[in-house]
Amino acid sequence: MPTYTVISSNLELDERKKKSIAEGITKIHSKTTGANTYFAQVIFNETKKNSHFMGGKVIRDEQIYLNGQIRAGRSKEIKDDLIDQLKKLLAKETELDQSNVWVYIVDLEPSQMVEYGEVLPVSGQEKVWFENLPEKLRKKLRSLES
């Protein structure tokens, strides 16, 4: 955790741009929340032409939408800062006006999530959780840490 889904509408993101956005999201999440970078995953999707509507009307301008599912337990201040930084990152990377950038953060209880085959720890308990993982998995996660 977190899982960030980036959906672009009328906006094509090349591989370089996706990599840059994914790295930015990962760094922002880790720095803001204190979570290890290996928890962050970023998934990209593009809407098909004429498949995005607002007010019942097809959207024709470029839009980007970020839905971040994160572990519950963080303060409003941390989440406000996270949302603001993510909004600015997406606007900068896509060169879109911030009015065309959407960021949603959804809290999920850690006990209701499994990653790497393990129930996730409460925020702040990552070190203890990591130390109790099988050695093979710890090695894998160390290789993903940036």
Side-chain angles (χ1 to χ4, degrees):
M1 196 33 113
T3 298
Y4 286 100
T5 304
V6 180
I7 301 171
S8 56
S9 187
N10 304 315
L11 174 69
E12 192 170 321
L13 301 172
D14 62 24
E15 297 304 312
R16 183 187 59 76
K17 190 60 68 178
K18 288 178 183 178
K19 184 177 187 323
S20 182
I21 290 170
E23 288 173 349
I25 289 170
T26 300
K27 287 177 186 174
I28 288 168
H29 185 87
S30 180
K31 185 177 179 184
T32 305
T33 67
N36 300 75
T37 58
Y38 58 72
F39 280 113
Q41 62 180 330
V42 181
I43 301 166
F44 290 88
N45 291 307
E46 293 180 20
T47 61
K48 293 180 182 178
K49 186 176 180 178
N50 299 321
S51 295
H52 184 178
F53 294 76
M54 285 187 200
K57 296 182 177 150
V58 173
I59 296 301
R60 303 223 184 270
D61 57 344
E62 297 174 327
Q63 303 277 331
I64 193 159
Y65 170 82
L66 179 65
N67 182 0
Q69 297 173 317
I70 68 172
R71 286 179 289 160
R74 296 193 172 90
S75 70
K76 180 182 180 328
E77 292 76 22
I78 286 174
K79 289 186 279 190
D80 287 349
D81 187 32
L82 182 63
I83 289 169
D84 186 58
Q85 289 186 64
L86 293 168
K87 172 189 70 176
K88 289 175 181 171
L89 169 76
L90 292 173
K92 179 182 175 191
E93 290 289 335
T94 61
E95 299 178 1
L96 291 176
D97 184 85
Q98 289 185 14
S99 66
N100 289 14
V101 175
W102 306 72
V103 178
Y104 292 17
I105 298 295
V106 179
D107 284 331
L108 298 174
E109 291 300 321
S111 64
Q112 297 173 348
M113 300 182 298
V114 171
E115 288 189 13
Y116 304 110
E118 303 289 334
V119 174
L120 290 178
V122 172
S123 296
Q125 296 297 312
E126 294 85 358
K127 186 175 180 179
V128 172
W129 177 84
F130 182 84
E131 290 169 356
N132 288 303
L133 295 174
E135 179 56 36
K136 183 178 177 181
L137 181 53
R138 287 188 299 208
K139 185 176 179 180
K140 176 181 178 177
L141 296 181
R142 281 188 204 105
S143 75
L144 295 174
E145 190 73 2
S146 55

mmCIF file of all heavy atoms in Angstrom, residues 47-96:
data_model
loop_
_atom_site.group_PDB
_atom_site.id
_atom_site.type_symbol
_atom_site.label_atom_id
_atom_site.label_comp_id
_atom_site.label_asym_id
_atom_site.label_seq_id
_atom_site.Cartn_x
_atom_site.Cartn_y
_atom_site.Cartn_z
ATOM 1 N N THR A 47 -8.579 6.298 -20.786
ATOM 2 C CA THR A 47 -9.958 6.101 -21.241
ATOM 3 C C THR A 47 -9.960 6.089 -22.767
ATOM 4 O O THR A 47 -9.136 6.741 -23.410
ATOM 5 C CB THR A 47 -10.902 7.211 -20.740
ATOM 6 O OG1 THR A 47 -10.463 8.469 -21.253
ATOM 7 C CG2 THR A 47 -10.953 7.265 -19.225
ATOM 8 N N LYS A 48 -10.872 5.346 -23.326
ATOM 9 C CA LYS A 48 -11.042 5.334 -24.776
ATOM 10 C C LYS A 48 -11.745 6.618 -25.192
ATOM 11 O O LYS A 48 -12.436 7.250 -24.387
ATOM 12 C CB LYS A 48 -11.861 4.121 -25.197
ATOM 13 C CG LYS A 48 -11.148 2.811 -24.962
ATOM 14 C CD LYS A 48 -12.000 1.650 -25.402
ATOM 15 C CE LYS A 48 -11.281 0.348 -25.106
ATOM 16 N NZ LYS A 48 -12.079 -0.820 -25.474
ATOM 17 N N LYS A 49 -11.580 6.970 -26.439
ATOM 18 C CA LYS A 49 -12.233 8.163 -26.974
ATOM 19 C C LYS A 49 -13.743 8.093 -26.735
ATOM 20 O O LYS A 49 -14.354 7.044 -26.905
ATOM 21 C CB LYS A 49 -11.941 8.288 -28.475
ATOM 22 C CG LYS A 49 -12.453 9.577 -29.075
ATOM 23 C CD LYS A 49 -12.061 9.708 -30.534
ATOM 24 C CE LYS A 49 -12.601 11.024 -31.064
ATOM 25 N NZ LYS A 49 -12.217 11.248 -32.442
ATOM 26 N N ASN A 50 -14.294 9.211 -26.314
ATOM 27 C CA ASN A 50 -15.730 9.338 -26.028
ATOM 28 C C ASN A 50 -16.207 8.429 -24.889
ATOM 29 O O ASN A 50 -17.365 8.021 -24.862
ATOM 30 C CB ASN A 50 -16.567 9.089 -27.292
ATOM 31 C CG ASN A 50 -16.261 10.088 -28.375
ATOM 32 O OD1 ASN A 50 -16.054 11.276 -28.105
ATOM 33 N ND2 ASN A 50 -16.208 9.624 -29.602
ATOM 34 N N SER A 51 -15.320 8.141 -23.943
ATOM 35 C CA SER A 51 -15.677 7.276 -22.809
ATOM 36 C C SER A 51 -15.588 7.990 -21.467
ATOM 37 O O SER A 51 -15.667 7.351 -20.425
ATOM 38 C CB SER A 51 -14.764 6.040 -22.786
ATOM 39 O OG SER A 51 -14.977 5.252 -23.919
ATOM 40 N N HIS A 52 -15.420 9.294 -21.461
ATOM 41 C CA HIS A 52 -15.340 10.076 -20.225
ATOM 42 C C HIS A 52 -16.396 11.173 -20.311
ATOM 43 O O HIS A 52 -16.378 11.991 -21.225
ATOM 44 C CB HIS A 52 -13.944 10.676 -20.084
ATOM 45 C CG HIS A 52 -13.726 11.418 -18.818
ATOM 46 N ND1 HIS A 52 -12.521 11.995 -18.511
ATOM 47 C CD2 HIS A 52 -14.527 11.691 -17.762
ATOM 48 C CE1 HIS A 52 -12.603 12.605 -17.330
ATOM 49 N NE2 HIS A 52 -13.815 12.434 -16.868
ATOM 50 N N PHE A 53 -17.279 11.174 -19.338
ATOM 51 C CA PHE A 53 -18.395 12.113 -19.328
ATOM 52 C C PHE A 53 -18.410 12.910 -18.036
ATOM 53 O O PHE A 53 -18.049 12.404 -16.979
ATOM 54 C CB PHE A 53 -19.736 11.354 -19.435
ATOM 55 C CG PHE A 53 -19.936 10.662 -20.744
ATOM 56 C CD1 PHE A 53 -19.277 9.478 -21.046
ATOM 57 C CD2 PHE A 53 -20.811 11.188 -21.688
ATOM 58 C CE1 PHE A 53 -19.466 8.837 -22.251
ATOM 59 C CE2 PHE A 53 -21.017 10.543 -22.898
ATOM 60 C CZ PHE A 53 -20.343 9.365 -23.184
ATOM 61 N N MET A 54 -18.861 14.157 -18.115
ATOM 62 C CA MET A 54 -19.154 14.993 -16.948
ATOM 63 C C MET A 54 -20.471 15.683 -17.232
ATOM 64 O O MET A 54 -20.650 16.253 -18.310
ATOM 65 C CB MET A 54 -18.059 16.022 -16.693
ATOM 66 C CG MET A 54 -16.813 15.453 -16.099
ATOM 67 S SD MET A 54 -15.694 16.786 -15.656
ATOM 68 C CE MET A 54 -14.171 15.893 -15.579
ATOM 69 N N GLY A 55 -21.374 15.631 -16.271
ATOM 70 C CA GLY A 55 -22.680 16.231 -16.472
ATOM 71 C C GLY A 55 -23.426 15.611 -17.635
ATOM 72 O O GLY A 55 -24.241 16.268 -18.270
ATOM 73 N N GLY A 56 -23.101 14.349 -17.946
ATOM 74 C CA GLY A 56 -23.756 13.651 -19.044
ATOM 75 C C GLY A 56 -23.208 14.007 -20.414
ATOM 76 O O GLY A 56 -23.746 13.572 -21.422
ATOM 77 N N LYS A 57 -22.126 14.804 -20.455
ATOM 78 C CA LYS A 57 -21.561 15.233 -21.735
ATOM 79 C C LYS A 57 -20.139 14.696 -21.884
ATOM 80 O O LYS A 57 -19.384 14.650 -20.922
ATOM 81 C CB LYS A 57 -21.554 16.756 -21.830
ATOM 82 C CG LYS A 57 -22.957 17.322 -21.816
ATOM 83 C CD LYS A 57 -22.953 18.812 -21.964
ATOM 84 C CE LYS A 57 -24.415 19.237 -22.001
ATOM 85 N NZ LYS A 57 -24.699 20.496 -21.494
ATOM 86 N N VAL A 58 -19.797 14.316 -23.102
ATOM 87 C CA VAL A 58 -18.459 13.809 -23.378
ATOM 88 C C VAL A 58 -17.429 14.894 -23.098
ATOM 89 O O VAL A 58 -17.601 16.052 -23.505
ATOM 90 C CB VAL A 58 -18.345 13.337 -24.848
ATOM 91 C CG1 VAL A 58 -16.909 12.958 -25.190
ATOM 92 C CG2 VAL A 58 -19.267 12.161 -25.113
ATOM 93 N N ILE A 59 -16.380 14.521 -22.424
ATOM 94 C CA ILE A 59 -15.262 15.429 -22.145
ATOM 95 C C ILE A 59 -14.292 15.367 -23.317
ATOM 96 O O ILE A 59 -13.890 14.287 -23.744
ATOM 97 C CB ILE A 59 -14.530 15.005 -20.845
ATOM 98 C CG1 ILE A 59 -15.455 15.138 -19.643
ATOM 99 C CG2 ILE A 59 -13.251 15.803 -20.640
ATOM 100 C CD1 ILE A 59 -15.971 16.519 -19.426
ATOM 101 N N ARG A 60 -13.947 16.531 -23.833
ATOM 102 C CA ARG A 60 -13.051 16.576 -24.985
ATOM 103 C C ARG A 60 -11.665 17.133 -24.634
ATOM 104 O O ARG A 60 -10.717 16.919 -25.383
ATOM 105 C CB ARG A 60 -13.674 17.420 -26.084
ATOM 106 C CG ARG A 60 -15.053 16.894 -26.482
ATOM 107 C CD ARG A 60 -15.242 16.891 -27.963
ATOM 108 N NE ARG A 60 -16.595 16.483 -28.317
ATOM 109 C CZ ARG A 60 -16.966 15.232 -28.535
ATOM 110 N NH1 ARG A 60 -16.101 14.268 -28.403
ATOM 111 N NH2 ARG A 60 -18.201 14.941 -28.868
ATOM 112 N N ASP A 61 -11.555 17.825 -23.497
ATOM 113 C CA ASP A 61 -10.243 18.358 -23.135
ATOM 114 C C ASP A 61 -9.451 17.315 -22.344
ATOM 115 O O ASP A 61 -9.977 16.300 -21.905
ATOM 116 C CB ASP A 61 -10.358 19.682 -22.372
ATOM 117 C CG ASP A 61 -11.202 19.600 -21.122
ATOM 118 O OD1 ASP A 61 -11.958 18.635 -20.948
ATOM 119 O OD2 ASP A 61 -11.094 20.513 -20.288
ATOM 120 N N GLU A 62 -8.159 17.556 -22.196
ATOM 121 C CA GLU A 62 -7.269 16.629 -21.511
ATOM 122 C C GLU A 62 -7.510 16.690 -20.006
ATOM 123 O O GLU A 62 -7.597 17.774 -19.422
ATOM 124 C CB GLU A 62 -5.816 16.979 -21.823
ATOM 125 C CG GLU A 62 -5.471 16.830 -23.294
ATOM 126 C CD GLU A 62 -4.078 17.318 -23.611
ATOM 127 O OE1 GLU A 62 -3.583 18.276 -22.974
ATOM 128 O OE2 GLU A 62 -3.467 16.733 -24.527
ATOM 129 N N GLN A 63 -7.595 15.513 -19.389
ATOM 130 C CA GLN A 63 -7.814 15.393 -17.953
ATOM 131 C C GLN A 63 -6.908 14.292 -17.408
ATOM 132 O O GLN A 63 -6.612 13.326 -18.122
ATOM 133 C CB GLN A 63 -9.272 14.992 -17.647
ATOM 134 C CG GLN A 63 -10.333 15.898 -18.195
ATOM 135 C CD GLN A 63 -10.586 17.101 -17.304
ATOM 136 O OE1 GLN A 63 -10.407 17.045 -16.097
ATOM 137 N NE2 GLN A 63 -11.013 18.183 -17.909
ATOM 138 N N ILE A 64 -6.526 14.423 -16.163
ATOM 139 C CA ILE A 64 -5.820 13.341 -15.490
ATOM 140 C C ILE A 64 -6.418 13.176 -14.098
ATOM 141 O O ILE A 64 -6.713 14.165 -13.415
ATOM 142 C CB ILE A 64 -4.295 13.560 -15.451
ATOM 143 C CG1 ILE A 64 -3.586 12.274 -15.044
ATOM 144 C CG2 ILE A 64 -3.911 14.740 -14.576
ATOM 145 C CD1 ILE A 64 -2.126 12.222 -15.455
ATOM 146 N N TYR A 65 -6.636 11.929 -13.713
ATOM 147 C CA TYR A 65 -7.307 11.585 -12.472
ATOM 148 C C TYR A 65 -6.427 10.608 -11.708
ATOM 149 O O TYR A 65 -5.929 9.629 -12.279
ATOM 150 C CB TYR A 65 -8.661 10.950 -12.821
ATOM 151 C CG TYR A 65 -9.387 10.311 -11.667
ATOM 152 C CD1 TYR A 65 -10.151 11.068 -10.788
ATOM 153 C CD2 TYR A 65 -9.327 8.938 -11.461
ATOM 154 C CE1 TYR A 65 -10.830 10.473 -9.744
ATOM 155 C CE2 TYR A 65 -9.996 8.344 -10.417
ATOM 156 C CZ TYR A 65 -10.750 9.107 -9.555
ATOM 157 O OH TYR A 65 -11.407 8.520 -8.524
ATOM 158 N N LEU A 66 -6.203 10.867 -10.437
ATOM 159 C CA LEU A 66 -5.392 10.007 -9.586
ATOM 160 C C LEU A 66 -6.229 9.550 -8.404
ATOM 161 O O LEU A 66 -6.748 10.372 -7.644
ATOM 162 C CB LEU A 66 -4.155 10.762 -9.083
ATOM 163 C CG LEU A 66 -3.229 9.992 -8.149
ATOM 164 C CD1 LEU A 66 -2.588 8.815 -8.863
ATOM 165 C CD2 LEU A 66 -2.161 10.932 -7.605
ATOM 166 N N ASN A 67 -6.370 8.248 -8.279
ATOM 167 C CA ASN A 67 -7.072 7.665 -7.137
ATOM 168 C C ASN A 67 -6.034 6.922 -6.310
ATOM 169 O O ASN A 67 -5.476 5.924 -6.763
ATOM 170 C CB ASN A 67 -8.171 6.697 -7.613
ATOM 171 C CG ASN A 67 -8.953 6.105 -6.468
ATOM 172 O OD1 ASN A 67 -8.716 6.385 -5.308
ATOM 173 N ND2 ASN A 67 -9.904 5.260 -6.801
ATOM 174 N N GLY A 68 -5.768 7.429 -5.116
ATOM 175 C CA GLY A 68 -4.786 6.813 -4.232
ATOM 176 C C GLY A 68 -5.452 6.126 -3.064
ATOM 177 O O GLY A 68 -6.168 6.765 -2.300
ATOM 178 N N GLN A 69 -5.237 4.839 -2.949
ATOM 179 C CA GLN A 69 -5.727 4.078 -1.802
ATOM 180 C C GLN A 69 -4.554 3.900 -0.855
ATOM 181 O O GLN A 69 -3.552 3.274 -1.201
ATOM 182 C CB GLN A 69 -6.273 2.724 -2.251
ATOM 183 C CG GLN A 69 -7.457 2.870 -3.173
ATOM 184 C CD GLN A 69 -7.887 1.540 -3.755
ATOM 185 O OE1 GLN A 69 -7.054 0.745 -4.168
ATOM 186 N NE2 GLN A 69 -9.181 1.312 -3.776
ATOM 187 N N ILE A 70 -4.680 4.476 0.342
ATOM 188 C CA ILE A 70 -3.589 4.452 1.306
ATOM 189 C C ILE A 70 -4.079 3.865 2.623
ATOM 190 O O ILE A 70 -5.269 3.791 2.879
ATOM 191 C CB ILE A 70 -2.995 5.856 1.530
ATOM 192 C CG1 ILE A 70 -3.980 6.779 2.238
ATOM 193 C CG2 ILE A 70 -2.528 6.471 0.199
ATOM 194 C CD1 ILE A 70 -3.401 8.123 2.671
ATOM 195 N N ARG A 71 -3.118 3.472 3.463
ATOM 196 C CA ARG A 71 -3.486 2.957 4.782
ATOM 197 C C ARG A 71 -4.040 4.072 5.651
ATOM 198 O O ARG A 71 -3.504 5.176 5.703
ATOM 199 C CB ARG A 71 -2.263 2.337 5.472
ATOM 200 C CG ARG A 71 -1.878 1.000 4.887
ATOM 201 C CD ARG A 71 -0.659 0.438 5.564
ATOM 202 N NE ARG A 71 0.495 1.236 5.169
ATOM 203 C CZ ARG A 71 1.633 1.285 5.844
ATOM 204 N NH1 ARG A 71 1.785 0.616 6.962
ATOM 205 N NH2 ARG A 71 2.634 2.011 5.409
ATOM 206 N N ALA A 72 -5.110 3.755 6.345
ATOM 207 C CA ALA A 72 -5.725 4.706 7.285
ATOM 208 C C ALA A 72 -4.777 4.946 8.458
ATOM 209 O O ALA A 72 -3.894 4.146 8.737
ATOM 210 C CB ALA A 72 -7.052 4.152 7.781
ATOM 211 N N GLY A 73 -5.006 6.069 9.129
ATOM 212 C CA GLY A 73 -4.242 6.364 10.341
ATOM 213 C C GLY A 73 -3.364 7.598 10.244
ATOM 214 O O GLY A 73 -2.695 7.947 11.205
ATOM 215 N N ARG A 74 -3.385 8.247 9.104
ATOM 216 C CA ARG A 74 -2.562 9.451 8.957
ATOM 217 C C ARG A 74 -3.405 10.691 9.213
ATOM 218 O O ARG A 74 -4.599 10.710 8.967
ATOM 219 C CB ARG A 74 -1.955 9.477 7.566
ATOM 220 C CG ARG A 74 -1.007 8.278 7.386
ATOM 221 C CD ARG A 74 -0.150 8.419 6.183
ATOM 222 N NE ARG A 74 0.856 7.373 6.166
ATOM 223 C CZ ARG A 74 0.692 6.190 5.592
ATOM 224 N NH1 ARG A 74 -0.442 5.885 5.000
ATOM 225 N NH2 ARG A 74 1.667 5.304 5.610
ATOM 226 N N SER A 75 -2.745 11.740 9.673
ATOM 227 C CA SER A 75 -3.452 12.970 10.030
ATOM 228 C C SER A 75 -3.985 13.696 8.801
ATOM 229 O O SER A 75 -3.510 13.491 7.675
ATOM 230 C CB SER A 75 -2.509 13.909 10.789
ATOM 231 O OG SER A 75 -1.526 14.427 9.905
ATOM 232 N N LYS A 76 -4.938 14.568 9.035
ATOM 233 C CA LYS A 76 -5.492 15.412 7.970
ATOM 234 C C LYS A 76 -4.384 16.251 7.340
ATOM 235 O O LYS A 76 -4.355 16.429 6.114
ATOM 236 C CB LYS A 76 -6.600 16.305 8.525
ATOM 237 C CG LYS A 76 -7.225 17.228 7.474
ATOM 238 C CD LYS A 76 -8.277 18.130 8.068
ATOM 239 C CE LYS A 76 -8.935 19.066 7.102
ATOM 240 N NZ LYS A 76 -8.196 19.579 5.989
ATOM 241 N N GLU A 77 -3.474 16.764 8.149
ATOM 242 C CA GLU A 77 -2.387 17.597 7.636
ATOM 243 C C GLU A 77 -1.506 16.814 6.661
ATOM 244 O O GLU A 77 -1.118 17.337 5.613
ATOM 245 C CB GLU A 77 -1.535 18.164 8.780
ATOM 246 C CG GLU A 77 -2.243 19.180 9.655
ATOM 247 C CD GLU A 77 -3.239 18.571 10.645
ATOM 248 O OE1 GLU A 77 -3.134 17.373 10.987
ATOM 249 O OE2 GLU A 77 -4.150 19.306 11.064
ATOM 250 N N ILE A 78 -1.184 15.580 7.017
ATOM 251 C CA ILE A 78 -0.360 14.752 6.136
ATOM 252 C C ILE A 78 -1.103 14.492 4.829
ATOM 253 O O ILE A 78 -0.544 14.623 3.740
ATOM 254 C CB ILE A 78 0.038 13.428 6.825
ATOM 255 C CG1 ILE A 78 1.105 13.711 7.886
ATOM 256 C CG2 ILE A 78 0.545 12.396 5.813
ATOM 257 C CD1 ILE A 78 1.484 12.519 8.734
ATOM 258 N N LYS A 79 -2.380 14.149 4.920
ATOM 259 C CA LYS A 79 -3.147 13.863 3.701
ATOM 260 C C LYS A 79 -3.348 15.115 2.856
ATOM 261 O O LYS A 79 -3.269 15.048 1.622
ATOM 262 C CB LYS A 79 -4.477 13.210 4.055
ATOM 263 C CG LYS A 79 -4.289 11.775 4.569
ATOM 264 C CD LYS A 79 -5.587 11.071 4.797
ATOM 265 C CE LYS A 79 -6.168 11.460 6.122
ATOM 266 N NZ LYS A 79 -7.314 10.647 6.525
ATOM 267 N N ASP A 80 -3.563 16.268 3.492
ATOM 268 C CA ASP A 80 -3.681 17.525 2.742
ATOM 269 C C ASP A 80 -2.394 17.818 1.981
ATOM 270 O O ASP A 80 -2.422 18.214 0.812
ATOM 271 C CB ASP A 80 -4.011 18.693 3.672
ATOM 272 C CG ASP A 80 -5.434 18.674 4.189
ATOM 273 O OD1 ASP A 80 -6.261 17.878 3.683
ATOM 274 O OD2 ASP A 80 -5.722 19.463 5.122
ATOM 275 N N ASP A 81 -1.250 17.635 2.642
ATOM 276 C CA ASP A 81 0.048 17.866 2.018
ATOM 277 C C ASP A 81 0.268 16.876 0.877
ATOM 278 O O ASP A 81 0.728 17.248 -0.217
ATOM 279 C CB ASP A 81 1.154 17.744 3.066
ATOM 280 C CG ASP A 81 2.517 18.129 2.541
ATOM 281 O OD1 ASP A 81 2.616 19.005 1.665
ATOM 282 O OD2 ASP A 81 3.511 17.547 3.032
ATOM 283 N N LEU A 82 -0.082 15.626 1.097
ATOM 284 C CA LEU A 82 0.048 14.593 0.081
ATOM 285 C C LEU A 82 -0.762 14.951 -1.165
ATOM 286 O O LEU A 82 -0.247 14.934 -2.287
ATOM 287 C CB LEU A 82 -0.412 13.252 0.662
ATOM 288 C CG LEU A 82 -0.319 12.020 -0.212
ATOM 289 C CD1 LEU A 82 1.125 11.716 -0.580
ATOM 290 C CD2 LEU A 82 -0.948 10.830 0.517
ATOM 291 N N ILE A 83 -2.014 15.314 -0.974
ATOM 292 C CA ILE A 83 -2.893 15.672 -2.090
ATOM 293 C C ILE A 83 -2.339 16.869 -2.854
ATOM 294 O O ILE A 83 -2.305 16.875 -4.088
ATOM 295 C CB ILE A 83 -4.324 15.961 -1.587
ATOM 296 C CG1 ILE A 83 -4.997 14.656 -1.153
ATOM 297 C CG2 ILE A 83 -5.164 16.664 -2.649
ATOM 298 C CD1 ILE A 83 -6.291 14.860 -0.397
ATOM 299 N N ASP A 84 -1.896 17.881 -2.137
ATOM 300 C CA ASP A 84 -1.371 19.084 -2.778
ATOM 301 C C ASP A 84 -0.126 18.773 -3.607
ATOM 302 O O ASP A 84 -0.002 19.219 -4.756
ATOM 303 C CB ASP A 84 -1.071 20.156 -1.728
ATOM 304 C CG ASP A 84 -0.659 21.464 -2.351
ATOM 305 O OD1 ASP A 84 -1.437 22.026 -3.151
ATOM 306 O OD2 ASP A 84 0.464 21.932 -2.039
ATOM 307 N N GLN A 85 0.802 18.012 -3.048
ATOM 308 C CA GLN A 85 2.021 17.665 -3.780
ATOM 309 C C GLN A 85 1.723 16.812 -5.013
ATOM 310 O O GLN A 85 2.339 17.002 -6.069
ATOM 311 C CB GLN A 85 2.994 16.921 -2.871
ATOM 312 C CG GLN A 85 3.636 17.790 -1.815
ATOM 313 C CD GLN A 85 4.687 17.019 -1.064
ATOM 314 O OE1 GLN A 85 5.693 16.613 -1.653
ATOM 315 N NE2 GLN A 85 4.457 16.798 0.223
ATOM 316 N N LEU A 86 0.788 15.873 -4.867
ATOM 317 C CA LEU A 86 0.429 15.021 -6.004
ATOM 318 C C LEU A 86 -0.225 15.831 -7.113
ATOM 319 O O LEU A 86 0.071 15.634 -8.297
ATOM 320 C CB LEU A 86 -0.479 13.877 -5.543
ATOM 321 C CG LEU A 86 0.185 12.850 -4.625
ATOM 322 C CD1 LEU A 86 -0.860 11.936 -4.008
ATOM 323 C CD2 LEU A 86 1.270 12.057 -5.361
ATOM 324 N N LYS A 87 -1.099 16.750 -6.744
ATOM 325 C CA LYS A 87 -1.752 17.626 -7.730
ATOM 326 C C LYS A 87 -0.698 18.421 -8.502
ATOM 327 O O LYS A 87 -0.735 18.483 -9.742
ATOM 328 C CB LYS A 87 -2.723 18.568 -7.025
ATOM 329 C CG LYS A 87 -3.309 19.650 -7.924
ATOM 330 C CD LYS A 87 -4.084 20.687 -7.122
ATOM 331 C CE LYS A 87 -3.109 21.493 -6.309
ATOM 332 N NZ LYS A 87 -3.705 22.586 -5.553
ATOM 333 N N LYS A 88 0.242 18.996 -7.791
ATOM 334 C CA LYS A 88 1.283 19.803 -8.436
ATOM 335 C C LYS A 88 2.176 18.955 -9.331
ATOM 336 O O LYS A 88 2.559 19.388 -10.425
ATOM 337 C CB LYS A 88 2.101 20.526 -7.375
ATOM 338 C CG LYS A 88 1.321 21.650 -6.714
ATOM 339 C CD LYS A 88 2.105 22.284 -5.582
ATOM 340 C CE LYS A 88 1.281 23.390 -4.932
ATOM 341 N NZ LYS A 88 1.900 23.891 -3.694
ATOM 342 N N LEU A 89 2.510 17.749 -8.894
ATOM 343 C CA LEU A 89 3.319 16.849 -9.705
ATOM 344 C C LEU A 89 2.618 16.535 -11.022
ATOM 345 O O LEU A 89 3.218 16.643 -12.102
ATOM 346 C CB LEU A 89 3.587 15.538 -8.946
ATOM 347 C CG LEU A 89 4.191 14.419 -9.794
ATOM 348 C CD1 LEU A 89 5.665 14.665 -10.041
ATOM 349 C CD2 LEU A 89 3.953 13.067 -9.164
ATOM 350 N N LEU A 90 1.345 16.159 -10.945
ATOM 351 C CA LEU A 90 0.613 15.799 -12.163
ATOM 352 C C LEU A 90 0.463 16.990 -13.104
ATOM 353 O O LEU A 90 0.607 16.845 -14.324
ATOM 354 C CB LEU A 90 -0.748 15.215 -11.809
ATOM 355 C CG LEU A 90 -0.713 13.848 -11.120
ATOM 356 C CD1 LEU A 90 -2.107 13.440 -10.672
ATOM 357 C CD2 LEU A 90 -0.087 12.796 -12.013
ATOM 358 N N ALA A 91 0.185 18.151 -12.552
ATOM 359 C CA ALA A 91 0.062 19.351 -13.392
ATOM 360 C C ALA A 91 1.390 19.659 -14.084
ATOM 361 O O ALA A 91 1.421 19.961 -15.286
ATOM 362 C CB ALA A 91 -0.404 20.533 -12.553
ATOM 363 N N LYS A 92 2.480 19.563 -13.349
ATOM 364 C CA LYS A 92 3.794 19.850 -13.925
ATOM 365 C C LYS A 92 4.166 18.824 -14.993
ATOM 366 O O LYS A 92 4.591 19.191 -16.088
ATOM 367 C CB LYS A 92 4.852 19.850 -12.817
ATOM 368 C CG LYS A 92 6.252 20.103 -13.313
ATOM 369 C CD LYS A 92 7.262 20.050 -12.186
ATOM 370 C CE LYS A 92 8.665 20.187 -12.749
ATOM 371 N NZ LYS A 92 9.677 19.887 -11.742
ATOM 372 N N GLU A 93 4.012 17.546 -14.676
ATOM 373 C CA GLU A 93 4.415 16.481 -15.606
ATOM 374 C C GLU A 93 3.583 16.465 -16.885
ATOM 375 O O GLU A 93 4.080 16.108 -17.939
ATOM 376 C CB GLU A 93 4.349 15.114 -14.914
ATOM 377 C CG GLU A 93 5.408 14.904 -13.860
ATOM 378 C CD GLU A 93 6.811 14.737 -14.437
ATOM 379 O OE1 GLU A 93 6.950 14.321 -15.603
ATOM 380 O OE2 GLU A 93 7.782 15.018 -13.711
ATOM 381 N N THR A 94 2.320 16.808 -16.787
ATOM 382 C CA THR A 94 1.431 16.767 -17.953
ATOM 383 C C THR A 94 1.276 18.124 -18.628
ATOM 384 O O THR A 94 0.703 18.205 -19.709
ATOM 385 C CB THR A 94 0.027 16.266 -17.555
ATOM 386 O OG1 THR A 94 -0.527 17.175 -16.599
ATOM 387 C CG2 THR A 94 0.076 14.852 -16.999
ATOM 388 N N GLU A 95 1.740 19.182 -17.955
ATOM 389 C CA GLU A 95 1.580 20.559 -18.428
ATOM 390 C C GLU A 95 0.114 20.946 -18.541
ATOM 391 O O GLU A 95 -0.262 21.797 -19.351
ATOM 392 C CB GLU A 95 2.326 20.770 -19.754
ATOM 393 C CG GLU A 95 3.816 20.528 -19.629
ATOM 394 C CD GLU A 95 4.573 20.685 -20.932
ATOM 395 O OE1 GLU A 95 3.965 21.011 -21.973
ATOM 396 O OE2 GLU A 95 5.798 20.479 -20.910
ATOM 397 N N LEU A 96 -0.717 20.327 -17.700
ATOM 398 C CA LEU A 96 -2.145 20.672 -17.649
ATOM 399 C C LEU A 96 -2.386 21.748 -16.605
ATOM 400 O O LEU A 96 -1.669 21.839 -15.604
ATOM 401 C CB LEU A 96 -2.984 19.446 -17.272
ATOM 402 C CG LEU A 96 -3.088 18.325 -18.300
ATOM 403 C CD1 LEU A 96 -3.876 17.165 -17.719
ATOM 404 C CD2 LEU A 96 -3.734 18.811 -19.579
#
